Tab-separated table of all heavy atoms in Angstrom:
chain	number	residue	atom	x	y	z
A	931	LEU	N	29.060	-58.062	-23.914
A	931	LEU	CA	28.629	-58.240	-22.552
A	931	LEU	C	28.421	-59.657	-22.134
A	931	LEU	O	28.666	-60.100	-20.957
A	931	LEU	CB	27.335	-57.485	-22.331
A	931	LEU	CG	27.355	-55.905	-22.474
A	931	LEU	CD1	26.005	-55.318	-22.396
A	931	LEU	CD2	28.209	-55.282	-21.328
A	932	ALA	N	27.965	-60.488	-23.043
A	932	ALA	CA	27.775	-61.952	-22.762
A	932	ALA	C	29.109	-62.560	-22.459
A	932	ALA	O	29.212	-63.405	-21.566
A	932	ALA	CB	27.144	-62.639	-23.960
A	933	GLY	N	30.120	-62.161	-23.175
A	933	GLY	CA	31.489	-62.669	-22.977
A	933	GLY	C	31.965	-62.348	-21.550
A	933	GLY	O	32.563	-63.129	-20.807
A	934	ALA	N	31.710	-61.079	-21.138
A	934	ALA	CA	32.042	-60.635	-19.751
A	934	ALA	C	31.375	-61.413	-18.759
A	934	ALA	O	31.941	-61.760	-17.682
A	934	ALA	CB	31.744	-59.082	-19.644
A	935	MET	N	30.080	-61.746	-18.981
A	935	MET	CA	29.309	-62.559	-18.066
A	935	MET	C	29.884	-63.989	-17.955
A	935	MET	O	29.853	-64.573	-16.862
A	935	MET	CB	27.827	-62.681	-18.476
A	935	MET	CG	27.158	-61.335	-18.342
A	935	MET	SD	25.398	-61.467	-19.017
A	935	MET	CE	24.828	-59.729	-18.858
A	936	GLN	N	30.294	-64.529	-19.087
A	936	GLN	CA	30.904	-65.864	-19.032
A	936	GLN	C	32.178	-65.885	-18.291
A	936	GLN	O	32.493	-66.873	-17.525
A	936	GLN	CB	31.134	-66.356	-20.530
A	936	GLN	CG	29.872	-66.786	-21.211
A	936	GLN	CD	30.208	-67.301	-22.598
A	936	GLN	OE1	30.617	-66.584	-23.492
A	936	GLN	NE2	30.014	-68.647	-22.765
A	937	ILE	N	33.038	-64.879	-18.375
A	937	ILE	CA	34.232	-64.713	-17.597
A	937	ILE	C	33.895	-64.764	-16.127
A	937	ILE	O	34.538	-65.467	-15.310
A	937	ILE	CB	34.999	-63.498	-17.942
A	937	ILE	CG1	35.600	-63.627	-19.407
A	937	ILE	CG2	36.162	-63.237	-17.039
A	937	ILE	CD1	36.285	-62.347	-19.890
A	938	LEU	N	32.869	-64.040	-15.745
A	938	LEU	CA	32.420	-63.942	-14.303
A	938	LEU	C	32.012	-65.333	-13.923
A	938	LEU	O	32.277	-65.803	-12.736
A	938	LEU	CB	31.278	-62.961	-14.200
A	938	LEU	CG	30.806	-62.716	-12.840
A	938	LEU	CD1	31.861	-62.232	-11.862
A	938	LEU	CD2	29.564	-61.741	-12.732
A	939	LEU	N	31.150	-66.038	-14.709
A	939	LEU	CA	30.670	-67.395	-14.416
A	939	LEU	C	31.896	-68.348	-14.106
A	939	LEU	O	31.840	-69.118	-13.183
A	939	LEU	CB	29.884	-67.901	-15.496
A	939	LEU	CG	28.411	-67.346	-15.644
A	939	LEU	CD1	27.735	-67.887	-16.912
A	939	LEU	CD2	27.552	-67.732	-14.436
A	940	GLY	N	32.967	-68.181	-14.955
A	940	GLY	CA	34.216	-69.058	-14.725
A	940	GLY	C	34.813	-68.697	-13.442
A	940	GLY	O	35.316	-69.564	-12.713
A	941	LEU	N	34.904	-67.403	-13.118
A	941	LEU	CA	35.639	-66.960	-11.926
A	941	LEU	C	34.840	-67.432	-10.617
A	941	LEU	O	35.517	-67.682	-9.664
A	941	LEU	CB	35.755	-65.445	-11.889
A	941	LEU	CG	36.701	-64.814	-12.921
A	941	LEU	CD1	36.628	-63.365	-12.903
A	941	LEU	CD2	38.136	-65.374	-12.724
A	942	VAL	N	33.543	-67.465	-10.706
A	942	VAL	CA	32.736	-67.997	-9.567
A	942	VAL	C	32.594	-69.521	-9.604
A	942	VAL	O	31.724	-70.053	-8.783
A	942	VAL	CB	31.443	-67.290	-9.421
A	942	VAL	CG1	31.614	-65.804	-9.329
A	942	VAL	CG2	30.452	-67.642	-10.633
A	943	LYS	N	33.271	-70.210	-10.399
A	943	LYS	CA	33.376	-71.732	-10.504
A	943	LYS	C	31.984	-72.334	-10.906
A	943	LYS	O	31.684	-73.364	-10.430
A	943	LYS	CB	33.782	-72.284	-9.134
A	943	LYS	CG	35.000	-71.600	-8.538
A	943	LYS	CD	36.245	-71.868	-9.324
A	943	LYS	CE	37.487	-71.271	-8.641
A	943	LYS	NZ	38.725	-71.339	-9.512
A	944	ALA	N	31.281	-71.621	-11.788
A	944	ALA	CA	30.008	-72.179	-12.225
A	944	ALA	C	30.153	-73.412	-13.177
A	944	ALA	O	29.172	-74.050	-13.434
A	944	ALA	CB	29.154	-71.070	-12.977
A	945	GLY	N	31.368	-73.572	-13.631
A	945	GLY	CA	31.579	-74.697	-14.593
A	945	GLY	C	31.376	-76.080	-13.998
A	945	GLY	O	31.264	-77.135	-14.649
A	946	THR	N	31.327	-76.171	-12.655
A	946	THR	CA	31.073	-77.520	-11.958
A	946	THR	C	29.735	-78.136	-12.370
A	946	THR	O	29.549	-79.267	-12.074
A	946	THR	CB	31.250	-77.363	-10.481
A	946	THR	OG1	30.277	-76.371	-10.024
A	946	THR	CG2	32.622	-77.063	-10.063
A	947	ILE	N	28.883	-77.298	-12.844
A	947	ILE	CA	27.498	-77.857	-13.251
A	947	ILE	C	27.642	-78.999	-14.283
A	947	ILE	O	26.761	-79.981	-14.351
A	947	ILE	CB	26.599	-76.795	-13.827
A	947	ILE	CG1	25.206	-77.294	-13.983
A	947	ILE	CG2	27.117	-76.293	-15.217
A	947	ILE	CD1	24.150	-76.169	-14.415
A	948	ALA	N	28.779	-79.031	-15.052
A	948	ALA	CA	28.973	-80.034	-16.057
A	948	ALA	C	29.083	-81.396	-15.334
A	948	ALA	O	28.815	-82.382	-16.031
A	948	ALA	CB	30.282	-79.724	-16.866
A	949	ASN	N	29.541	-81.530	-14.126
A	949	ASN	CA	29.645	-82.779	-13.458
A	949	ASN	C	28.297	-83.517	-13.170
A	949	ASN	O	28.226	-84.616	-12.746
A	949	ASN	CB	30.401	-82.559	-12.119
A	949	ASN	CG	31.787	-82.094	-12.312
A	949	ASN	OD1	32.432	-82.470	-13.388
A	949	ASN	ND2	32.292	-81.207	-11.435
A	950	TYR	N	27.227	-82.850	-13.372
A	950	TYR	CA	25.871	-83.274	-12.997
A	950	TYR	C	25.103	-83.836	-14.244
A	950	TYR	O	23.906	-84.143	-14.040
A	950	TYR	CB	25.046	-82.225	-12.245
A	950	TYR	CG	25.677	-81.893	-10.921
A	950	TYR	CD1	26.492	-80.723	-10.847
A	950	TYR	CD2	25.582	-82.631	-9.828
A	950	TYR	CE1	27.158	-80.396	-9.672
A	950	TYR	CE2	26.184	-82.323	-8.677
A	950	TYR	CZ	26.972	-81.190	-8.567
A	950	TYR	OH	27.560	-80.876	-7.394
A	951	PHE	N	25.714	-83.854	-15.366
A	951	PHE	CA	25.068	-84.421	-16.633
A	951	PHE	C	25.223	-85.957	-16.605
A	951	PHE	O	26.372	-86.470	-16.597
A	951	PHE	CB	25.689	-83.858	-17.873
A	951	PHE	CG	25.434	-82.428	-18.035
A	951	PHE	CD1	26.550	-81.488	-18.154
A	951	PHE	CD2	24.156	-81.869	-18.063
A	951	PHE	CE1	26.306	-80.185	-18.313
A	951	PHE	CE2	23.897	-80.516	-18.209
A	951	PHE	CZ	24.988	-79.629	-18.386
A	952	PRO	N	24.203	-86.705	-16.588
A	952	PRO	CA	24.248	-88.218	-16.623
A	952	PRO	C	25.002	-88.702	-17.843
A	952	PRO	O	24.794	-88.128	-18.982
A	952	PRO	CB	22.845	-88.681	-16.554
A	952	PRO	CG	22.048	-87.459	-16.045
A	952	PRO	CD	22.733	-86.318	-16.514
A	953	SER	N	25.790	-89.723	-17.736
A	953	SER	CA	26.532	-90.303	-18.764
A	953	SER	C	25.687	-90.739	-19.940
A	953	SER	O	26.039	-90.426	-21.147
A	953	SER	CB	27.361	-91.480	-18.302
A	953	SER	OG	28.099	-92.022	-19.340
A	954	ALA	N	24.548	-91.334	-19.696
A	954	ALA	CA	23.687	-91.826	-20.795
A	954	ALA	C	23.112	-90.609	-21.636
A	954	ALA	O	22.949	-90.774	-22.820
A	954	ALA	CB	22.488	-92.601	-20.203
A	955	VAL	N	22.878	-89.494	-20.960
A	955	VAL	CA	22.414	-88.280	-21.641
A	955	VAL	C	23.497	-87.764	-22.634
A	955	VAL	O	23.250	-87.413	-23.758
A	955	VAL	CB	21.935	-87.256	-20.720
A	955	VAL	CG1	21.582	-85.952	-21.390
A	955	VAL	CG2	20.707	-87.798	-19.931
A	956	ILE	N	24.740	-87.748	-22.194
A	956	ILE	CA	25.843	-87.246	-22.957
A	956	ILE	C	26.051	-88.161	-24.215
A	956	ILE	O	26.230	-87.725	-25.316
A	956	ILE	CB	27.128	-87.181	-22.105
A	956	ILE	CG1	26.934	-86.124	-20.959
A	956	ILE	CG2	28.344	-86.678	-23.021
A	956	ILE	CD1	26.598	-84.771	-21.393
A	957	GLU	N	26.018	-89.497	-23.920
A	957	GLU	CA	26.129	-90.432	-24.995
A	957	GLU	C	24.931	-90.308	-25.956
A	957	GLU	O	25.177	-90.298	-27.274
A	957	GLU	CB	26.128	-91.892	-24.508
A	957	GLU	CG	27.286	-92.180	-23.555
A	957	GLU	CD	28.563	-92.505	-24.337
A	957	GLU	OE1	28.543	-92.278	-25.609
A	957	GLU	OE2	29.536	-92.971	-23.794
A	958	GLY	N	23.780	-90.034	-25.519
A	958	GLY	CA	22.615	-89.808	-26.391
A	958	GLY	C	22.700	-88.551	-27.219
A	958	GLY	O	22.400	-88.463	-28.360
A	959	MET	N	23.292	-87.491	-26.609
A	959	MET	CA	23.544	-86.164	-27.293
A	959	MET	C	24.475	-86.431	-28.470
A	959	MET	O	24.297	-85.960	-29.610
A	959	MET	CB	24.091	-85.137	-26.397
A	959	MET	CG	24.268	-83.783	-27.036
A	959	MET	SD	25.205	-82.699	-25.963
A	959	MET	CE	26.859	-83.261	-26.129
A	960	LEU	N	25.615	-87.130	-28.212
A	960	LEU	CA	26.586	-87.445	-29.302
A	960	LEU	C	25.953	-88.243	-30.405
A	960	LEU	O	26.183	-87.922	-31.616
A	960	LEU	CB	27.753	-88.159	-28.609
A	960	LEU	CG	28.798	-87.385	-27.813
A	960	LEU	CD1	29.723	-88.362	-27.074
A	960	LEU	CD2	29.646	-86.425	-28.665
A	961	ALA	N	25.238	-89.232	-29.994
A	961	ALA	CA	24.592	-90.082	-31.071
A	961	ALA	C	23.602	-89.202	-31.846
A	961	ALA	O	23.520	-89.412	-33.150
A	961	ALA	CB	23.870	-91.271	-30.495
A	962	ALA	N	22.828	-88.356	-31.232
A	962	ALA	CA	21.849	-87.477	-31.917
A	962	ALA	C	22.542	-86.622	-32.877
A	962	ALA	O	22.108	-86.329	-34.009
A	962	ALA	CB	21.037	-86.771	-30.911
A	963	ILE	N	23.664	-86.005	-32.457
A	963	ILE	CA	24.448	-85.090	-33.331
A	963	ILE	C	24.949	-85.892	-34.542
A	963	ILE	O	24.887	-85.382	-35.665
A	963	ILE	CB	25.696	-84.532	-32.598
A	963	ILE	CG1	25.197	-83.539	-31.420
A	963	ILE	CG2	26.612	-83.755	-33.497
A	963	ILE	CD1	24.576	-82.276	-31.934
A	964	GLY	N	25.341	-87.143	-34.305
A	964	GLY	CA	25.727	-87.967	-35.458
A	964	GLY	C	24.651	-88.240	-36.424
A	964	GLY	O	24.835	-88.055	-37.701
């Protein structure tokens, strides 16, 4: 069911939320994972 919900999220264009992550936070996440 979670997979079906994700397909629905993709169809309603919910993926654009990724554009609102600040660059410094993404860089920090990568460094933290390292």
Side-chain angles (χ1 to χ4, degrees):
L931 293 172
M935 292 176 186
Q936 285 185 290
I937 293 174
L938 183 61
L939 288 172
L941 292 175
V942 300
K943 313 296 184 185
T946 53
I947 191 175
N949 297 325
Y950 297 98
F951 294 122
S953 176
V955 174
I956 299 300
E957 296 281 10
M959 182 191 76
L960 284 169
I963 292 292

